[in-house]
Amino acid sequence: MTDIRQLVTRMDLDQKIGQIQGVVPMDLVDFEKLRDPANPPPDLSKGFPYEIDRLPLVRPHGVGHLSLGWQLDQDIERLRRDLVRFQEVAREVSPFGIGVLIHAEGVNGLVHPQGHQFTTPWGQAASWDPATSGAVGQIAGRQARSVGIHLFFSPLLDLARDIRWGRVHETYGEDPELVARMGIGFIRGVQGDSGETGMLATGKHFLGYGSSLGALNQAATQLGRRELTDVYAEPFRRAIAEAGLSVIMNSYNEIDGIPAAANRWLLTELLRGQLGFDGLVVSDYDSVTMLHKTYRAAATPGHAAAQALSAGLDVELPSAPMTSHLRPLVEDGTLPEEVLDRAVERVLQLKARFGLIPEIQSTPPAEARAIGAAEADEQARAVANAGITLLANDGILPLAPGSVRVAVVGPVADEIRIHFGSYSSVADAEFPQAIARIAAGQVPGVQTSPDVFPDLFQTKLPGIEPVFEEGARRLHPDALTVLEAVRALDPKVAYHPLGSLEADAPAIDSSAVEAAAADADVVIAVVGERTGWVGNHTAGEGRTTANPALPGNQTALVETLHAAGKRVVTVVISGRPLLIEPVHRASAAVLLAPLLGHVAGATIADVLYGVTEPGGRTPSTFPRHLGQIPMYHGHPAGSGHDHPTLPRHGYIDLPDSSPLYPFGHGLTYTSFDLTLEEARLEGDVVRVHATVHNTGPRAGTAVVQLYARDEAGSVVRPVRQLVDFARVPVEAGANQDIGMVVPLERLAYTWPDGRRGVEAGEVTLLLGLSSADIRHTRTIDVPELVLA
């Protein structure tokens, strides 16, 4: 059996560099042929004409990775054949017939026109159930592996604590325990409990990406090393230790002046040292290029590549603009060849696991069988049901069909597109539409040039919404809008398409609203924001909003309905918290639909009419006002809106400085009591026994949450820390026992002397149904625990 290190010594320098580079389908386009006036112009809205046989021209010394692998073909059967062909061509040019690692995205399901789609991660986190993200990971992973894909660049293990940031919907929320547990669920779903599936997940983004300056995408992170280590790295620490996470992607930000892609403390000392990671570190797309072009931290492309490798990065993605200039720096000794060799070895170790190195025998995983569409859709409904969250209810919900006169209003009540986020098949299909419009000169004020395309996220596309809606309906022809699903349960419901998401929307015509709703006893107002990559979305990657409120005149619409004396049930469609206190005041009920995907309409209607219960709890805090951002439940004692014993300084211009909806909040159609039976320390484990009682008229699901608070410490500790939770279905009138086991190390932090552990002293346990609904407390003494 050939040793990987020996294999590396047999490679020449160009072959080694090839293994740490990616290639994208766009690299395989013959642009000279496209520019030839003798050839008819292609329809770019249907994708680019990729030519796999061009690979030897593009990467004559071999290539390590195929980025965006799902883009080779829009038909999944042809994609499977294309990926087989790509591997054949790659093996012919790569040293020793080594194959290529093929990447895709899957946090909402496999990104592909025929990929099974699910609720976005923030909505999955609202289930407070790792089995939910696990089911998504398993189905997405099986479908991807069945076509020849090896790696998902999912999940996000970032904490999202600033709701202005456009990528909140891709995360599992604000809390390290919830993010860790949901992320581990997804990773195990993709990889299997012992890595037996032949698919691997990637944890991203390392580190602190979601806490950027001004919430701007790719901006600096102003956090100290202790908070990065103890809080932001915790989901990665847990995923490495508990789920065998083998691939990690760096973040785009810079920390204390050092970009993450070239940060040795981050990628080597913290990640590989303290966290014990021994796998592959890949670059987020173009983050190595940013060292040279954006941050100006590297004088040349070659130096950018050398900086990244020296810091502990192994692979440049998606393509190879910086590492293509690496050879002279290795030859002159600027970058020691052993640093390059180390990165190549890590690439090959991963390839050996997948059987991509002919000289190294390995046991290939069993052939993956994709789950059928019907089974996937059934699971999609289960995920959506668990995540949809009732934020407020004065008793108006659930509605009974035919019992009252109902009108549906709102600009997105009859829309499918609104229910999807980025990294979905719907958002992905919008890229070629955007590129085609720009390339054809159809966007006013935008000149067609190569400079436009790298910043597609920022380019407005006037009038594109009907095109995007058509695309969503084409991909999901059986999906129901909220209006269609409500009418399926209550056929006499009226509909009035009032309101607008447009930034320049006119003021609401109160007389028109009053006239439209005159005959209604209850008005269902369906509002929200669109989330995606390109177009006019107000959330998504690269789309930071200075004021994360409902866009357009939607807030005024709800307020006008309330002023007209109507009882309003507001459905808010969003993948992040929004500033909706005016909507809350004007509504009899508020229902959050956190980007539920193609099953959204039916899921929302079923909850409105009591066919199913609202299963979700908030994975993030909802502030009342823009000035409270960032706002999160586990803030340090002495800062923020809460304190165990003392009143704290609030905002003098706010009557209430508390959250509008706290972390872990969600109402049901029944009621629960909690009893704390026992809490004790047993060795290095805290054991809690509790009972939840369903005191209401119907079956329901309680989400029991256990928090802990250090009563004293040499480092300022949070006012509360989530340490465990349980999602518990309980029949009406019944009780359910709950056992929680919390390793003491879950409370660990970095001490002033640099060691990490738990200091001896009192810890108070807080048991409740949200971070603000604590039913029982118990204080225990814990011993000193030194971890490192």
Side-chain angles (χ1 to χ4, degrees), residues 689-703:
H689 176 213
T691 304
V692 60
H693 320 268
N694 185 338
T695 58
R698 58 184 282 172
T701 300
V703 175

Side-chain angles (χ1 to χ4, degrees), residues 66 96 147 182 209 216 288 318 359 454 543 674 700 744:
L66 173 62
F96 317 114
V147 298
M182 297 302 297
Y209 178 42
L216 291 168
V288 181
E359 294 188 16
R543 294 183 175 273
L674 279 177
L744 200 56

Side-chain angles (χ1 to χ4, degrees), residues 630-753:
M631 191 180 204
Y632 51 95
H633 84 92
H635 59 78
S639 302
H641 62 277
D642 201 2
H643 192 275
T645 56
L646 298 174
R648 295 309 302 152
H649 301 286
Y651 296 93
I652 61 171
D653 53 349
L654 290 182
D656 189 343
S657 291
S658 68
L660 177 62
Y661 305 121
F663 175 76
H665 167 75
L667 306 177
T668 69
Y669 292 150
T670 188
S671 55
F672 299 100
D673 279 344
L674 279 177
T675 303
L676 178 57
E677 309 285 358
E678 182 183 27
R680 70 181 191 277
L681 182 67
E682 189 176 286
D684 291 339
V685 169
V686 177
R687 297 187 181 275
V688 172
H689 176 213
T691 304
V692 60
H693 320 268
N694 185 338
T695 58
R698 58 184 282 172
T701 300
V703 175
V704 180
Q705 302 162 36
L706 181 65
Y707 299 86
R709 179 179 66 238
D710 266 303
E711 294 300 346
S714 59
V715 173
V716 176
R717 304 302 299 134
V719 294
R720 78 184 63 78
Q721 177 183 342
L722 181 67
V723 292
D724 202 1
F725 55 88
R727 185 178 176 87
V728 187
V730 191
E731 293 296 322
N735 299 335
Q736 184 68 49
D737 288 336
I738 305 165
M740 293 181 168
V741 180
V742 182
L744 200 56
E745 68 181 76
R746 203 158 288 177
L747 300 172
Y749 51 94
T750 303
W751 299 348
D753 63 8

Side-chain angles (χ1 to χ4, degrees), residues 125 128 172-173 175-183 618-619 663 722 725:
W128 285 60
Y172 297 117
D175 183 88
E177 179 68 20
L178 183 60
V179 171
R181 295 271 288 277
M182 297 302 297
T618 53
F663 175 76
L722 181 67
F725 55 88

Side-chain angles (χ1 to χ4, degrees), residues 4-17 19 94-96 98 337 341 344 348 357:
I4 286 177
R5 188 161 296 175
Q6 292 177 349
L7 196 63
V8 173
T9 64
R10 292 161 55 195
M11 292 182 179
D12 64 34
L13 189 53
D14 290 324
Q15 291 172 334
K16 291 178 183 178
I17 293 172
Q19 289 300 307
S94 294
F96 317 114
I98 297 172
E337 190 164 356
D341 289 353
V344 176
L348 296 184
I357 305 177

Side-chain angles (χ1 to χ4, degrees), residues 113-126:
Q114 292 163 267
H116 304 314
Q117 301 297 287
F118 297 90
T119 299
T120 203
W122 193 68
Q124 296 170 35

